[in-house]
Amino acid sequence: MTDPRLVAAGLVEQVVRPLADAGIATQVFDQGEPEPSVAVAVRAADAAARFGPDCILGLGGGSNMDLAKFAAILVTHGGPPSRYFSFNNVPGPVLPLVCVPTTAGTGSEVSHAAVLTDTDNHIKVSTLSQFLRPALAVVDPALTDGCPRQVTADSGIDALTHAIEAYTATDYRELEAGPHEPVAYEGRHPLGMCLAEKAIALVAEHLVAAVQDGSNQQARDGMALAATTAGLAFSNCAVAVVHALEYPLGAVLHCSHGAGNGLLLPHVMRYNLPARIESFATIARLLGEDVAGLSPQQAAERSIAAVERISQAIGIPQRIRELGGTREQLPVFAEKAFAIKRLMHTNPRRPTQADLLAILETAF
Ligand SMILES: NC(=O)c1ccc[n+]([C@@H]2O[C@H](COP(=O)([O-])OP(=O)(O)OC[C@H]3O[C@@H](n4cnc5c(N)ncnc54)[C@H](O)[C@@H]3O)[C@@H](O)[C@H]2O)c1
Ligand SMILES: [Fe+2]
Protein backbone atom coordinates (compact mmCIF):
# COMPACT_ATOMS: atom_id res chain seq x y z
CA MET A 1 0.00 0.00 0.00
CA THR A 2 1.70 3.17 -1.16
CA ASP A 3 1.15 6.34 -3.18
CA PRO A 4 2.22 7.96 -6.46
CA ARG A 5 4.78 10.29 -4.86
CA LEU A 6 6.68 7.38 -3.36
CA VAL A 7 6.62 5.55 -6.69
CA ALA A 8 8.10 8.68 -8.29
CA ALA A 9 10.70 8.96 -5.52
CA GLY A 10 11.90 5.42 -6.32
CA LEU A 11 11.13 4.09 -2.83
CA VAL A 12 8.58 1.51 -4.01
CA GLU A 13 11.14 -0.01 -6.36
CA GLN A 14 13.61 -0.26 -3.45
CA VAL A 15 11.14 -2.39 -1.52
CA VAL A 16 9.62 -4.45 -4.34
CA ARG A 17 12.87 -5.48 -6.05
CA PRO A 18 14.44 -7.41 -3.14
CA LEU A 19 11.09 -9.12 -2.52
CA ALA A 20 10.98 -10.23 -6.16
CA ASP A 21 14.61 -11.38 -5.93
CA ALA A 22 13.59 -13.51 -2.95
CA GLY A 23 10.81 -15.11 -5.01
CA ILE A 24 7.99 -13.29 -3.23
CA ALA A 25 5.12 -12.20 -5.47
CA THR A 26 3.84 -8.70 -4.77
CA GLN A 27 1.14 -6.45 -6.08
CA VAL A 28 1.41 -2.70 -5.58
CA PHE A 29 -1.59 -0.51 -4.75
CA ASP A 30 -0.22 2.99 -5.38
CA GLN A 31 -3.36 5.11 -5.10
CA GLY A 32 -2.84 6.09 -1.46
CA GLU A 33 -3.35 9.75 -0.54
CA PRO A 34 -2.40 12.03 2.36
CA GLU A 35 -4.91 11.77 5.26
CA PRO A 36 -6.67 8.92 3.38
CA SER A 37 -10.44 8.84 3.02
CA VAL A 38 -12.62 5.86 3.87
CA ALA A 39 -13.32 5.51 0.13
CA VAL A 40 -9.65 4.99 -0.73
CA ALA A 41 -9.38 2.37 2.02
CA VAL A 42 -12.25 0.47 0.43
CA ARG A 43 -10.54 0.63 -2.99
CA ALA A 44 -7.27 -0.55 -1.44
CA ALA A 45 -9.02 -3.46 0.23
CA ASP A 46 -10.78 -4.46 -3.01
CA ALA A 47 -7.45 -4.51 -4.83
CA ALA A 48 -5.89 -6.56 -2.04
CA ALA A 49 -8.78 -9.03 -1.96
CA ARG A 50 -8.43 -9.66 -5.72
CA PHE A 51 -4.74 -10.48 -5.23
CA GLY A 52 -5.27 -12.64 -2.15
CA PRO A 53 -2.10 -11.72 -0.22
CA ASP A 54 -0.52 -13.52 2.76
CA CYS A 55 0.39 -10.19 4.27
CA ILE A 56 0.00 -6.47 3.62
CA LEU A 57 2.90 -4.02 3.61
CA GLY A 58 2.37 -0.30 4.17
CA LEU A 59 5.15 1.85 2.69
CA GLY A 60 4.99 5.57 3.38
CA GLY A 61 4.01 7.96 6.08
CA GLY A 62 1.18 7.38 8.51
CA SER A 63 -1.28 7.75 5.65
CA ASN A 64 -0.13 4.67 3.74
CA MET A 65 0.60 2.62 6.85
CA ASP A 66 -2.93 3.31 8.11
CA LEU A 67 -4.31 2.45 4.68
CA ALA A 68 -2.53 -0.92 4.91
CA LYS A 69 -3.98 -1.47 8.38
CA PHE A 70 -7.51 -0.67 7.34
CA ALA A 71 -7.26 -2.74 4.15
CA ALA A 72 -6.07 -5.67 6.30
CA ILE A 73 -9.18 -5.32 8.47
CA LEU A 74 -11.53 -5.22 5.48
CA VAL A 75 -9.84 -8.13 3.66
CA THR A 76 -9.97 -10.26 6.80
CA HIS A 77 -13.34 -9.33 8.29
CA GLY A 78 -15.34 -7.62 5.48
CA GLY A 79 -17.16 -4.27 5.47
CA PRO A 80 -18.65 -1.85 6.05
CA PRO A 81 -15.72 0.23 7.35
CA SER A 82 -17.77 2.11 9.96
CA ARG A 83 -18.22 -1.15 11.88
CA TYR A 84 -14.64 -0.88 13.09
CA PHE A 85 -14.34 2.82 13.97
CA SER A 86 -13.48 3.82 17.52
CA PHE A 87 -12.07 1.24 19.93
CA ASN A 88 -12.12 -2.53 20.20
CA ASN A 89 -14.44 -3.22 17.27
CA VAL A 90 -12.05 -5.37 15.22
CA PRO A 91 -13.25 -8.88 16.09
CA GLY A 92 -9.98 -10.79 15.69
CA PRO A 93 -6.52 -10.88 14.12
CA VAL A 94 -6.07 -9.32 10.67
CA LEU A 95 -3.71 -10.27 7.85
CA PRO A 96 -0.14 -9.80 9.13
CA LEU A 97 1.02 -6.22 8.65
CA VAL A 98 4.49 -5.03 7.71
CA CYS A 99 4.99 -1.28 8.14
CA VAL A 100 7.86 0.62 6.57
CA PRO A 101 7.81 4.34 7.46
CA THR A 102 9.19 6.94 5.04
CA THR A 103 8.43 9.87 7.36
CA ALA A 104 9.63 10.31 10.94
CA GLY A 105 6.43 11.11 12.69
CA THR A 106 3.33 9.08 13.25
CA GLY A 107 4.69 5.95 14.90
CA SER A 108 1.95 4.03 13.09
CA GLU A 109 4.57 1.31 12.46
CA VAL A 110 4.17 0.31 16.11
CA SER A 111 0.77 1.70 17.06
CA HIS A 112 -2.64 0.13 17.43
CA ALA A 113 -4.32 2.94 15.49
CA ALA A 114 -5.43 3.59 11.93
CA VAL A 115 -6.75 7.05 11.08
CA LEU A 116 -9.00 7.75 8.09
CA THR A 117 -10.87 10.86 6.95
CA ASP A 118 -14.64 10.49 7.09
CA THR A 119 -15.49 12.95 4.31
CA ASP A 120 -19.26 12.59 4.93
CA ASN A 121 -19.01 13.75 8.54
CA HIS A 122 -16.03 16.12 8.16
CA ILE A 123 -13.91 14.46 10.81
CA LYS A 124 -10.93 12.13 11.08
CA VAL A 125 -11.89 8.77 12.51
CA SER A 126 -9.58 6.56 14.49
CA THR A 127 -9.87 2.80 14.54
CA LEU A 128 -8.07 1.40 17.56
CA SER A 129 -7.44 -2.27 18.18
CA GLN A 130 -4.57 -4.32 19.55
CA PHE A 131 -4.95 -6.41 16.36
CA LEU A 132 -3.66 -3.41 14.37
CA ARG A 133 -0.15 -3.53 15.80
CA PRO A 134 2.05 -4.47 12.84
CA ALA A 135 3.72 -7.88 12.95
CA LEU A 136 6.89 -6.21 11.69
CA ALA A 137 8.14 -2.62 11.61
CA VAL A 138 11.14 -1.90 9.38
CA VAL A 139 12.43 1.51 10.45
CA ASP A 140 15.22 2.55 8.11
CA PRO A 141 16.02 6.25 8.48
CA ALA A 142 17.51 6.26 4.97
CA LEU A 143 13.97 5.97 3.60
CA THR A 144 13.26 9.44 5.06
CA ASP A 145 16.27 11.10 3.36
CA GLY A 146 14.13 12.44 0.51
CA CYS A 147 11.18 13.37 2.69
CA PRO A 148 10.13 16.93 1.70
CA ARG A 149 10.84 19.78 4.10
CA GLN A 150 7.21 20.46 4.97
CA VAL A 151 6.40 16.78 5.56
CA THR A 152 9.53 16.44 7.71
CA ALA A 153 8.37 19.40 9.81
CA ASP A 154 4.73 18.38 10.13
CA SER A 155 5.35 14.70 10.86
CA GLY A 156 8.19 15.60 13.25
CA ILE A 157 6.01 17.85 15.38
CA ASP A 158 3.36 15.10 15.40
CA ALA A 159 5.97 12.85 17.05
CA LEU A 160 6.63 15.58 19.64
CA THR A 161 2.90 15.88 20.25
CA HIS A 162 2.65 12.11 20.80
CA ALA A 163 5.46 12.18 23.32
CA ILE A 164 4.16 15.22 25.23
CA GLU A 165 0.56 13.98 25.32
CA ALA A 166 1.73 10.53 26.52
CA TYR A 167 4.04 12.03 29.14
CA THR A 168 1.38 14.30 30.63
CA ALA A 169 -1.73 12.08 30.19
CA THR A 170 -4.08 10.91 32.91
CA ASP A 171 -2.21 8.53 35.16
CA TYR A 172 -2.96 4.83 34.65
CA ARG A 173 -4.16 4.63 38.28
CA GLU A 174 -6.77 7.30 37.61
CA LEU A 175 -8.07 6.27 34.21
CA GLU A 176 -11.78 5.62 34.51
CA ALA A 177 -12.41 2.00 33.54
CA GLY A 178 -13.65 -1.10 35.26
CA PRO A 179 -11.00 -3.70 36.23
CA HIS A 180 -11.59 -5.91 33.17
CA GLU A 181 -12.89 -3.26 30.83
CA PRO A 182 -10.84 -2.92 27.63
CA VAL A 183 -9.42 0.60 27.24
CA ALA A 184 -8.19 2.38 24.12
CA TYR A 185 -5.29 3.81 26.13
CA GLU A 186 -3.76 2.74 29.42
CA GLY A 187 -2.93 6.18 30.78
CA ARG A 188 0.62 7.27 31.45
CA HIS A 189 2.83 4.77 33.21
CA PRO A 190 6.55 4.57 34.01
CA LEU A 191 7.66 2.55 30.96
CA GLY A 192 5.72 4.72 28.53
CA MET A 193 7.11 7.84 30.21
CA CYS A 194 10.70 6.58 29.69
CA LEU A 195 9.98 6.22 25.99
CA ALA A 196 8.33 9.65 25.84
CA GLU A 197 11.26 11.33 27.61
CA LYS A 198 13.66 9.81 25.12
CA ALA A 199 11.51 10.93 22.20
CA ILE A 200 11.22 14.52 23.52
CA ALA A 201 14.98 14.81 23.95
CA LEU A 202 15.61 13.39 20.45
CA VAL A 203 13.14 15.83 18.87
CA ALA A 204 14.84 18.72 20.69
CA GLU A 205 18.19 17.64 19.32
CA HIS A 206 17.26 16.70 15.77
CA LEU A 207 13.99 18.10 14.40
CA VAL A 208 15.12 21.60 13.41
CA ALA A 209 18.30 20.18 11.86
CA ALA A 210 16.38 17.55 9.87
CA VAL A 211 14.05 20.23 8.49
CA GLN A 212 16.85 22.67 7.65
CA ASP A 213 19.00 20.05 5.92
CA GLY A 214 17.27 16.87 4.81
CA SER A 215 20.62 15.27 3.98
CA ASN A 216 21.76 15.50 7.63
CA GLN A 217 21.81 11.78 8.36
CA GLN A 218 22.43 12.14 12.06
CA ALA A 219 19.30 14.26 12.30
CA ARG A 220 17.30 11.78 10.17
CA ASP A 221 18.49 8.90 12.36
CA GLY A 222 17.56 10.79 15.53
CA MET A 223 14.11 11.65 14.25
CA ALA A 224 13.40 8.07 13.10
CA LEU A 225 14.17 6.87 16.61
CA ALA A 226 12.12 9.71 18.11
CA ALA A 227 9.06 8.86 16.01
CA THR A 228 9.09 5.17 16.84
CA THR A 229 9.73 5.66 20.57
CA ALA A 230 6.97 8.30 20.64
CA GLY A 231 4.70 5.82 18.84
CA LEU A 232 5.38 3.21 21.49
CA ALA A 233 4.74 5.80 24.20
CA PHE A 234 1.46 7.20 22.95
CA SER A 235 -0.03 3.92 21.74
CA ASN A 236 0.45 2.45 25.20
CA CYS A 237 -0.15 5.56 27.35
CA ALA A 238 -2.37 8.00 25.46
CA VAL A 239 -2.93 10.95 23.26
CA ALA A 240 -5.50 13.48 24.44
CA VAL A 241 -7.01 16.90 23.74
CA VAL A 242 -4.52 18.01 21.06
CA HIS A 243 -5.48 15.04 18.92
CA ALA A 244 -9.19 15.39 19.74
CA LEU A 245 -9.19 18.99 18.49
CA GLU A 246 -7.13 18.15 15.42
CA TYR A 247 -9.59 15.53 14.14
CA PRO A 248 -12.39 17.98 13.21
CA LEU A 249 -10.03 20.90 12.51
CA GLY A 250 -7.79 18.97 10.11
CA ALA A 251 -10.71 17.35 8.29
CA VAL A 252 -12.41 20.72 7.65
CA LEU A 253 -9.38 22.96 7.04
CA HIS A 254 -7.44 20.30 5.10
CA CYS A 255 -4.19 20.82 6.91
CA SER A 256 -1.90 17.89 7.60
CA HIS A 257 -2.37 16.07 10.90
CA GLY A 258 1.07 17.24 12.04
CA ALA A 259 0.48 20.90 11.16
CA GLY A 260 -2.84 20.90 13.03
CA ASN A 261 -1.32 19.22 16.08
CA GLY A 262 1.71 21.52 16.04
CA LEU A 263 -0.54 24.58 15.93
CA LEU A 264 -2.71 23.37 18.81
CA LEU A 265 -0.01 21.85 21.03
CA PRO A 266 1.19 24.98 22.94
CA HIS A 267 -2.39 26.10 23.57
CA VAL A 268 -3.41 22.74 25.01
CA MET A 269 -0.20 22.66 27.07
CA ARG A 270 -1.15 26.04 28.57
CA TYR A 271 -4.57 24.63 29.52
CA ASN A 272 -3.05 21.44 31.00
CA LEU A 273 -0.19 23.15 32.81
CA PRO A 274 -1.84 23.57 36.24
CA ALA A 275 -2.40 19.80 36.44
CA ARG A 276 1.12 18.82 35.38
CA ILE A 277 3.60 21.42 36.69
CA GLU A 278 6.41 18.96 37.36
CA SER A 279 6.00 17.06 34.11
CA PHE A 280 6.07 20.25 32.07
CA ALA A 281 9.13 21.46 34.00
CA THR A 282 10.85 18.20 33.02
CA ILE A 283 9.74 18.66 29.42
CA ALA A 284 11.27 22.16 29.43
CA ARG A 285 14.58 20.68 30.55
CA LEU A 286 14.38 17.89 27.95
CA LEU A 287 13.72 20.51 25.27
CA GLY A 288 16.96 22.24 26.21
CA GLU A 289 15.67 25.12 28.35
CA ASP A 290 17.87 26.37 31.17
CA VAL A 291 15.55 26.00 34.15
CA ALA A 292 18.17 26.35 36.90
CA GLY A 293 16.92 28.59 39.69
CA LEU A 294 13.39 28.83 38.33
CA SER A 295 10.30 27.96 40.36
CA PRO A 296 8.46 24.82 39.19
CA GLN A 297 5.74 27.03 37.68
CA GLN A 298 8.26 29.16 35.77
CA ALA A 299 10.15 26.08 34.60
CA ALA A 300 6.90 24.46 33.42
CA GLU A 301 6.00 27.59 31.43
CA ARG A 302 9.34 27.36 29.65
CA SER A 303 8.16 24.09 28.04
CA ILE A 304 5.52 26.06 26.13
CA ALA A 305 8.06 28.63 24.98
CA ALA A 306 10.37 25.80 23.86
CA VAL A 307 7.64 24.13 21.80
CA GLU A 308 6.76 27.48 20.21
CA ARG A 309 10.40 28.09 19.37
CA ILE A 310 10.73 24.71 17.61
CA SER A 311 7.37 25.08 15.90
CA GLN A 312 8.24 28.53 14.52
CA ALA A 313 11.72 27.44 13.45
CA ILE A 314 10.25 24.69 11.25
CA GLY A 315 7.40 26.75 9.79
CA ILE A 316 4.36 25.24 11.50
CA PRO A 317 1.29 27.51 11.11
CA GLN A 318 0.70 29.38 14.35
CA ARG A 319 -2.94 30.41 14.04
CA ILE A 320 -6.17 28.72 12.95
CA ARG A 321 -6.98 31.75 10.79
CA GLU A 322 -3.74 31.16 8.85
CA LEU A 323 -5.26 27.85 7.75
CA GLY A 324 -8.35 29.65 6.47
CA GLY A 325 -10.47 28.84 9.53
CA THR A 326 -13.19 31.22 10.69
CA ARG A 327 -14.34 32.04 14.23
CA GLU A 328 -17.79 30.66 13.39
CA GLN A 329 -16.27 27.19 12.84
CA LEU A 330 -14.77 26.96 16.32
CA PRO A 331 -17.91 25.89 18.24
CA VAL A 332 -18.41 22.98 15.83
CA PHE A 333 -14.78 21.89 16.28
CA ALA A 334 -15.23 22.06 20.07
CA GLU A 335 -18.45 20.05 19.93
CA LYS A 336 -16.99 17.32 17.71
CA ALA A 337 -13.79 17.06 19.75
CA PHE A 338 -15.77 16.90 23.01
CA ALA A 339 -17.67 13.90 21.63
CA ILE A 340 -14.43 11.87 21.42
CA LYS A 341 -14.78 10.76 25.04
CA ARG A 342 -11.76 8.47 25.15
CA LEU A 343 -9.51 11.48 24.46
CA MET A 344 -11.26 13.62 27.10
CA HIS A 345 -10.65 10.87 29.69
CA THR A 346 -6.95 10.66 28.90
CA ASN A 347 -6.41 14.41 29.27
CA PRO A 348 -4.87 15.43 32.61
CA ARG A 349 -7.54 18.12 33.11
CA ARG A 350 -11.07 17.08 32.25
CA PRO A 351 -12.30 19.77 29.86
CA THR A 352 -15.83 21.02 29.35
CA GLN A 353 -16.93 21.84 25.83
CA ALA A 354 -16.56 25.52 26.80
CA ASP A 355 -12.93 24.86 27.79
CA LEU A 356 -12.26 23.36 24.36
CA LEU A 357 -13.80 26.40 22.71
CA ALA A 358 -11.64 28.68 24.86
CA ILE A 359 -8.50 26.76 23.79
CA LEU A 360 -9.51 27.11 20.13
CA GLU A 361 -10.11 30.83 20.62
CA THR A 362 -6.61 31.32 22.00
CA ALA A 363 -5.29 29.44 18.95
CA PHE A 364 -7.46 31.39 16.50
N1 LIG B 1 -1.86 5.28 13.07
C1 LIG B 1 -1.31 6.11 13.92
O1 LIG B 1 -0.93 5.71 15.00
C2 LIG B 1 -1.18 7.54 13.54
C3 LIG B 1 -0.59 8.44 14.43
C4 LIG B 1 -0.48 9.77 14.04
C5 LIG B 1 -0.94 10.19 12.78
N2 LIG B 1 -1.53 9.28 11.95
C6 LIG B 1 -2.02 9.65 10.61
O2 LIG B 1 -0.92 9.67 9.70
C7 LIG B 1 -1.19 10.60 8.63
C8 LIG B 1 -0.03 11.55 8.47
O3 LIG B 1 1.13 10.81 8.15
P1 LIG B 1 2.54 11.51 7.87
O4 LIG B 1 2.68 12.71 8.70
O5 LIG B 1 3.55 10.45 8.02
O6 LIG B 1 2.43 12.00 6.36
P2 LIG B 1 1.73 11.33 5.08
O7 LIG B 1 1.81 9.85 5.16
O8 LIG B 1 0.37 11.92 4.95
O9 LIG B 1 2.65 11.83 3.89
C9 LIG B 1 2.54 13.16 3.41
C10 LIG B 1 3.08 13.25 1.98
O10 LIG B 1 4.48 13.07 1.99
C11 LIG B 1 4.89 12.12 1.01
N3 LIG B 1 6.07 11.42 1.50
C12 LIG B 1 6.17 10.68 2.62
N4 LIG B 1 7.41 10.20 2.77
C13 LIG B 1 8.13 10.65 1.73
C14 LIG B 1 9.50 10.47 1.32
N5 LIG B 1 10.37 9.79 2.05
N6 LIG B 1 9.88 11.04 0.17
C15 LIG B 1 9.01 11.76 -0.58
N7 LIG B 1 7.71 11.97 -0.24
C16 LIG B 1 7.29 11.43 0.90
C17 LIG B 1 3.69 11.22 0.86
O11 LIG B 1 3.69 10.61 -0.42
C18 LIG B 1 2.53 12.18 1.05
O12 LIG B 1 2.16 12.77 -0.16
C19 LIG B 1 -2.48 11.29 9.01
O13 LIG B 1 -3.57 10.72 8.33
C20 LIG B 1 -2.61 11.05 10.50
O14 LIG B 1 -3.93 11.10 10.97
C21 LIG B 1 -1.64 7.98 12.32
FE1 LIG C 1 -0.66 12.07 15.82
Side-chain angles (χ1 to χ4, degrees):
M1 296 297 166
T2 192
D3 67 54
R5 284 172 71 178
L6 296 178
V7 176
L11 294 186
V12 176
E13 174 66 13
Q14 274 187 52
V15 173
V16 168
R17 200 183 326 113
L19 291 173
D21 291 347
I24 296 170
T26 55
Q27 179 171 298
V28 176
F29 177 84
D30 62 7
Q31 295 307 305
E33 62 189 15
E35 323 282 321
S37 64
V38 176
V40 80
V42 170
R43 285 201 293 280
D46 288 346
R50 281 196 297 278
F51 181 61
D54 298 314
C55 82
I56 298 191
L57 186 153
L59 172 71
S63 294
N64 297 346
M65 293 191 280
D66 288 2
L67 194 62
K69 290 178 174 186
F70 213 90
I73 301 175
L74 293 176
V75 170
T76 312
H77 299 292
S82 58
R83 238 173 94 192
Y84 307 108
F85 295 168
S86 190
F87 173 62
N88 214 26
N89 295 321
V90 179
V94 301
L95 274 180
L97 284 156
V98 179
C99 281
V100 187
T102 64
T103 62
T106 68
S108 180
E109 66 276 12
V110 290
S111 84
H112 62 334
V115 186
L116 296 177
T117 304
D118 178 350
T119 42
D120 296 338
N121 298 307
H122 309 291
I123 192 158
K124 306 267 193 70
V125 281
S126 256
T127 298
L128 297 135
S129 162
Q130 298 303 345
F131 297 120
L132 290 185
R133 293 208 192 258
L136 179 65
V138 182
V139 184
D140 179 353
L143 293 174
T144 67
D145 284 352
C147 189
R149 193 185 166 98
Q150 176 90 56
V151 179
T152 303
D154 293 3
S155 58
I157 206 145
D158 187 25
L160 179 62
T161 309
H162 293 160
I164 292 179
E165 292 217 281
Y167 194 71
T168 55
T170 302
D171 201 83
Y172 74 98
R173 289 179 222 108
E174 283 150 23
L175 202 69
E176 286 166 29
H180 300 291
E181 205 177 308
V183 285
Y185 294 106
E186 293 161 18
R188 70 172 188 172
H189 52 66
L191 177 58
M193 291 173 77
C194 288
L195 293 160
E197 281 190 17
K198 182 72 186 169
I200 293 167
L202 284 165
V203 170
E205 196 177 341
H206 297 295
L207 177 53
V208 175
V211 172
Q212 282 173 350
D213 176 9
S215 68
N216 179 336
Q217 300 204 330
Q218 214 186 341
R220 292 293 196 188
D221 288 357
M223 281 308 299
L225 185 57
T228 302
T229 46
L232 288 166
F234 95 77
S235 69
N236 284 288
C237 296
V239 286
V241 159
V242 181
H243 275 73
L245 290 171
E246 195 284 320
Y247 287 148
L249 184 133
V252 171
L253 303 182
H254 303 290
C255 64
S256 75
H257 172 73
N261 276 343
L263 188 160
L264 293 162
L265 178 60
H267 302 281
V268 176
M269 287 170 73
R270 196 165 286 115
Y271 172 76
N272 283 338
L273 197 126
R276 286 287 180 268
I277 301 273
E278 275 181 26
S279 300
F280 282 118
T282 305
I283 290 170
R285 191 173 45 73
L286 292 168
L287 289 175
E289 294 288 304
D290 180 6
V291 295
L294 297 185
S295 70
Q297 173 78 26
Q298 289 167 326
E301 282 167 10
R302 286 289 177 90
S303 69
I304 301 172
V307 166
E308 285 172 337
R309 179 169 42 75
I310 295 172
S311 163
Q312 285 164 13
I314 63 174
I316 298 294
Q318 300 293 306
R319 294 272 151 206
I320 294 173
R321 57 177 181 266
E322 281 173 46
L323 298 174
T326 63
R327 231 175 236 290
E328 292 66 46
Q329 289 171 318
L330 303 184
V332 181
F333 296 160
E335 187 190 340
K336 288 193 168 175
F338 189 67
I340 312 174
K341 290 293 173 231
R342 64 173 188 279
L343 299 181
M344 301 298 113
H345 288 191
T346 51
N347 199 66
R349 276 180 81 187
R350 184 63 53 83
T352 62
Q353 197 171 311
D355 291 335
L356 297 184
L357 184 56
I359 294 170
L360 288 168
E361 273 164 357
T362 63
F364 182 74

